[in-house]
Amino acid sequence: MLLLLVGSRCTLAGQDAVLVITRGGTYSGRYESNSSERACIRIATTEPVILENCVLRGPGRLIDATTGGARLTVRNCRGYGLPPPSTTRPGAAFWKLIAA
């Protein structure tokens, strides 16, 4: 996994996401989730976040910005939806965002 953080803090291998971003900054890398319950990236800050040149793969949400107030810019990122492990779960979504 390649990770570029510029003036930022994050948590790797969070319980509900592969990468949990808790501070603003620019983030790049490859993130994959094998669970439709676990996002590749979760935005847990209201500080400005830029996701740039990321490759995301997973059966559920690839980017989760549902905590409210996220200021998110996504540039040149690729997302690949994987089949859900269960037929009772919905398929992948590039991101889920709740506006403030």
Side-chain angles (χ1 to χ4, degrees):
M1 171 180 13
L2 169 68
L3 174 64
L4 169 67
L5 306 174
V6 180
S8 306
R9 189 183 84 189
C10 67
T11 303
L12 291 175
Q15 290 182 333
D16 58 351
V18 173
L19 172 68
V20 178
I21 297 173
T22 58
R23 294 270 173 112
T26 300
Y27 297 81
S28 297
R30 294 175 170 268
Y31 305 96
E32 183 169 346
S33 172
N34 294 318
S35 168
S36 50
E37 298 294 321
R38 189 173 185 207
C40 289
I41 298 176
R42 183 168 67 87
I43 311 299
T45 182
T46 57
E47 297 174 12
V49 170
I50 299 170
L51 298 178
E52 190 164 28
N53 301 318
C54 294
V55 178
L56 310 171
R57 293 172 44 96
R61 285 183 221 148
L62 302 182
I63 301 170
D64 183 343
T66 60
T67 55
R71 297 187 309 186
L72 176 62
T73 302
V74 179
R75 286 187 238 171
N76 196 34
C77 292
R78 291 176 284 162
Y80 300 94
L82 301 176
S86 166
T87 57
T88 61
R89 296 276 181 207
F94 189 78
W95 74 19
K96 183 168 183 179
L97 174 71
I98 293 179

